[in-house]
Amino acid sequence: MQRPPQHVGFGRVKRIHERRVIALRDGTQIVIGGLPLPRQSEMFDPAISFVPRPGNETSLSQAVHGAADLGFMHPCTLANLACRETTIEAKVKQHAPFGAQHAVAVLVDLLKFAGGCFGGLIEEIGQEALQIELVVFHCAPLVSYKTNYYKRNRFRKGAEMTSHTKPSTMITAATTSGTHPGYMPGFGNDFETEALPGALPQGMNSPQKCNYGLYGEQLSGTAFTAPSHANERTWCYRIRPSVKHSGRYARIDLPYWKSAPHIPKDVTSLGQYRWDPVPHSDEKLTWLTGMRTMTTAGDVNTQVGMASHIYLVTDSMVDSYFYSADSELLIVPQEGSLRFCTELGVMDIAPQEIAIIPRGLVYRVEVLDGPARGFVCENYGQKFHLPSRGPIGANCMANRRDFKTPVAAFEDREVPSTVTIKWCGQFHETKIGHSPLDVVAWHGNYAPVKYDLNTYCPVGAVLFDHPDPSIFTVLTAPSGVEGTANIDFVLFRDRWMVAEDTFRPPWYHKNIMSELMGNIHGQYDAKPKGFVPGGMSLHNMMLPHGPDRNAFEGASNAELAPHKLDNTMSFMFETRFPQHLTEFAAKEAPLQDDYIDCWESLEKNFDGTPGKK
Ligand SMILES: [Fe+2]
């Protein structure tokens, strides 16, 4: 058989077209390997496993070298294969942190040989990493791979997000949905984790020289002098200090991501509002370009208030990183799943989970299952923490053990990259030549965290009436006024309704707090219609609201047997500050013009005569 031409080109990786690895013909050693670095559980699960054709089994060997997952072929094998003009097929698995658009890497050892093999287009460029697109036409469908080349042609261990070495002192997080390798349980714990053995200094924070040549650096989430119980900081041991992850800044515009104060002159925020789900479009959107601000409250410059957003994400961030100096982000997925590759580890979230990304933490977001849509509460103020339970005691509601923080993972990747920073409501870009996700080990209590909302243990009415909805608070961010939150995150999940002689849905009320609700899935009991998954509603400061006519009639006349409120999960971002609509929320998002009419048909039952009616 005459082979078609082979070609190697330099450039950005596009997309893996076929999950297959083709053997090369010659007698020289070639290493084919995977850059993707597995999470803990996949540590010994190679990224590429070779499936030799019959007759080649004994001459094919495979070696797995830690995180690099290198597949290895002996020269004799290749010579043998070359004579037979045989290809080797390989099963390829893609691991974190790669999304669908990432290719599994091929590393070709002995570049001179490879150059000859592929037509001389491969060259060594010193210490700088070079991403190439490797396209092989070889008796098989087109295969495209991405790889990094380094001086001396050596695959640098940890060139992508590494796995954790999982020393025995480190643990995995177990939940109702199983064990989650790669996470540590707890909320606000003093965690410690290392991706390479011995990378974390013990007994001190700033050794004269750190192991592996790492730099020690502190990330402070609270003022140095914050009280001990509220003081949050994390010590990072990283390949480069953060000052190397930023250069000169250039202002950029993300027109749909707004910050308070933002009060459009021609938009009225006085009213009860409800939206259908914001639909996806054909536009390719990343975590940054797909953020759509719905409301803003307070003032980002004085670190009070919040913004609510809808995100519509179809594309992963590639060589692009972000951090917000303005805020921590509380993320509530409603559709699709995302991977947050952060300085402190990799965290995947899907609907019915939430995540918190701390202020100042650098990350990129990849789409695991798209398109992805969800809600974000951008908290300008003090951090979210768990609410006091008071007389409830030491258990129930959100329990600390159910929160999960990722173990350390890092990238040693040298490619042109962009870091975008949100700072005082503005966005700026800086260009760097490497990945900033280079923290090899860390310890501290300022870290990203995720939480499975299905582990929330609701407490409620057991005889008559029901408590204020604050009984369902998952997280609260204080405002400085005791008991008056900058933001409460409140969850309305499935639960039993057992109260006797009680109007069971939320009662009618007016509230000094401003309530923004979102539906994650199912049906909300106070609004049987119109408030659908992906939809939102806003009941602003001192605006009355409550059950619609159908909900009122149904609840007023229902037989009050114990009843399971099932298939429901909604939430509320509640803030002490009035929430102002953005132009997007008022004019582009699917605002329901007739929402106010849902109370129109409520009747006057009073006729001056006594008796329950
Ligand atoms: Fe309310």
Side-chain angles (χ1 to χ4, degrees):
M1 176 187 288
Q2 185 64 39
R3 292 169 188 271
Q6 298 169 338
H7 168 72
V8 173
F10 294 108
R12 292 288 306 220
V13 66
K14 294 176 182 173
R15 177 179 285 274
I16 186 164
H17 300 282
E18 185 75 22
R19 293 187 175 190
R20 182 177 295 183
V21 173
I22 308 300
L24 306 171
R25 63 186 178 91
D26 201 289
T28 311
Q29 175 177 303
I30 293 181
V31 178
I32 299 179
L35 276 179
L37 294 174
R39 301 192 68 121
Q40 276 181 311
S41 63
E42 296 155 340
M43 187 69 194
F44 303 105
D45 187 9
I48 298 177
S49 49
F50 292 93
V51 183
R53 290 266 176 91
N56 291 325
E57 293 91 341
T58 55
S59 58
L60 189 68
S61 64
Q62 180 178 324
V64 178
H65 299 297
D69 278 346
L70 295 183
F72 186 86
M73 274 181 284
H74 192 273
C76 296
T77 307
L78 287 168
N80 186 26
L81 291 170
C83 293
R84 299 187 194 184
E85 303 236 345
T86 306
T87 62
I88 292 178
E89 295 181 359
K91 292 178 181 174
V92 178
K93 293 169 65 176
Q94 288 180 285
H95 295 302
F98 286 95
Q101 87 290 0
H102 289 104
V104 169
V106 173
L107 180 69
V108 180
D109 203 5
L110 304 176
L111 289 184
K112 287 180 182 174
F113 156 72
C117 179
F118 287 117
L121 294 178
I122 295 177
E123 60 182 356
E124 197 173 323
I125 60 165
Q127 194 62 38
E128 294 297 316
L130 177 65
Q131 282 197 338
I132 74 161
E133 180 184 354
L134 175 63
V135 183
V136 182
F137 298 91
H138 186 133
C139 308
L142 181 67
V143 183
S144 173
Y145 294 107
K146 166 179 153 183
T147 189
N148 290 350
Y149 280 82
Y150 296 95
K151 191 174 181 180
R152 293 187 297 277
N153 314 334
R154 292 195 59 185
F155 185 84
R156 183 176 294 177
K157 189 177 182 184
E160 288 294 344
M161 221 69 183
T162 60
S163 68
H164 188 267
T165 53
K166 203 176 179 180
S168 59
T169 53
M170 308 287 180
I171 51 180
T172 58
T175 73
T176 51
S177 57
T179 300
H180 292 251
Y183 296 96
M184 303 174 284
F187 186 88
N189 293 12
D190 206 40
F191 296 107
E192 66 175 61
T193 173
E194 57 187 16
L196 295 176
L200 189 68
Q202 292 297 328
M204 62 186 304
N205 295 325
S206 295
Q208 186 177 21
K209 287 190 175 184
C210 294
N211 203 1
Y212 295 98
L214 299 171
Y215 289 85
E217 178 175 307
Q218 183 175 235
L219 173 62
S220 292
T222 56
F224 295 150
T225 48
S228 297
H229 69 271
N231 205 308
E232 296 196 15
R233 60 87 183 91
T234 286
W235 273 94
C236 302
Y237 300 91
R238 57 196 318 158
I239 296 168
R240 297 177 178 85
S242 288
V243 288
K244 291 287 288 180
H245 301 326
S246 71
R248 289 177 173 79
Y249 296 102
R251 176 98 177 257
I252 63 164
D253 199 19
L254 291 174
Y256 283 101
W257 192 333
K258 303 294 187 189
S259 295
H262 176 73
I263 307 176
K265 287 180 181 174
D266 56 345
V267 170
T268 302
S269 298
L270 178 66
Q272 296 92 339
Y273 293 116
R274 194 166 66 187
W275 293 265
D276 288 324
V278 178
H280 293 285
S281 69
D282 295 333
E283 193 178 359
K284 291 183 177 300
L285 296 170
T286 67
W287 180 250
L288 299 182
T289 59
M291 199 66 74
R292 301 283 180 267
T293 306
M294 298 292 288
T295 66
T296 66
D299 186 343
V300 72
N301 291 294
T302 53
Q303 298 185 347
V304 293
M306 56 158 278
S308 68
H309 314 278
I310 289 278
Y311 65 79
L312 303 167
V313 181
T314 60
D315 278 20
S316 299
M317 295 165 68
V318 178
D319 301 329
S320 167
Y321 305 87
F322 173 71
Y323 75 89
S324 172
D326 286 346
S327 48
E328 69 174 343
L329 299 186
L330 170 63
I331 298 143
V332 185
Q334 188 268 323
E335 186 180 277
S337 57
L338 298 173
R339 170 164 293 160
F340 289 79
C341 300
T342 79
E343 287 178 289
L344 300 185
V346 180
M347 194 164 64
D348 297 343
I349 62 168
Q352 302 187 36
E353 290 183 308
I354 58 169
I356 297 176
I357 303 291
R359 186 193 299 258
L361 189 74
V362 181
Y363 63 98
R364 70 163 181 272
V365 180
E366 299 183 346
V367 179
L368 294 179
D369 176 23
R373 178 173 58 204
F375 312 91
V376 171
C377 180
E378 184 179 2
N379 175 16
Y380 305 145
Q382 295 179 60
K383 293 179 79 270
F384 279 109
H385 61 69
L386 296 179
S388 295
R389 296 187 182 90
I392 293 171
N395 304 291
C396 295
M397 302 170 68
N399 291 300
R400 290 182 183 273
R401 63 179 294 214
D402 295 322
F403 288 81
K404 291 179 292 213
T405 288
V407 296
F410 71 94
E411 295 176 343
D412 180 10
R413 203 154 67 91
E414 299 177 355
V415 292
S417 302
T418 302
V419 180
T420 303
I421 299 151
K422 182 176 189 288
W423 194 86
C424 293
Q426 300 171 348
F427 292 88
H428 300 79
E429 257 185 17
T430 185
K431 304 288 186 185
I432 58 176
H434 48 265
S435 168
L437 308 183
D438 65 354
V439 177
V440 178
W442 60 269
H443 78 86
N445 58 353
Y446 190 68
V449 66
K450 72 170 188 171
Y451 175 70
D452 180 354
L453 293 171
N454 287 301
T455 62
Y456 183 82
C457 178
V459 174
V462 292
L463 189 60
F464 63 88
D465 284 355
H466 55 72
D468 290 334
S470 48
I471 195 69
F472 298 135
T473 301
V474 182
L475 294 159
T476 186
S479 72
V481 176
E482 188 177 4
T484 305
N486 184 36
I487 307 160
D488 279 334
F489 173 66
V490 183
L491 179 70
F492 304 100
R493 65 163 300 180
D494 50 319
R495 58 197 183 274
W496 280 92
M497 312 288 271
V498 299
E500 299 172 352
D501 187 21
T502 294
F503 183 75
R504 289 178 175 177
W507 19 243
Y508 296 96
H509 73 133
K510 287 200 297 186
N511 189 356
I512 189 172
M513 306 288 277
S514 294
E515 308 173 3
L516 185 130
M517 286 192 63
N519 188 335
I520 299 169
H521 83 89
Q523 178 178 301
Y524 180 63
D525 61 335
K527 301 280 167 42
K529 291 182 180 175
F531 182 49
V532 300
M536 302 178 88
S537 69
L538 174 65
H539 302 120
N540 235 328
M541 177 180 66
M542 285 302 172
L543 288 177
H545 55 283
D548 61 21
R549 164 74 188 269
N550 289 339
F552 178 80
E553 292 297 330
S556 299
N557 298 302
E559 185 180 346
L560 294 183
H563 168 65
K564 179 79 179 289
L565 200 59
D566 224 339
N567 185 35
T568 185
M569 185 174 279
S570 296
F571 70 90
M572 181 162 65
F573 300 148
E574 186 179 59
T575 173
R576 63 174 294 193
F577 301 103
Q579 300 191 36
H580 296 276
L581 301 190
T582 59
E583 290 194 323
F584 175 79
K587 299 175 181 176
E588 291 187 50
L591 184 64
Q592 297 175 6
D593 291 334
D594 59 350
Y595 177 45
I596 188 69
D597 299 335
C598 77
W599 298 291
E600 177 74 23
S601 58
L602 285 167
E603 294 174 339
K604 175 186 174 185
N605 298 318
F606 177 81
D607 61 6
T609 61
K612 291 200 172 187
K613 300 173 184 178

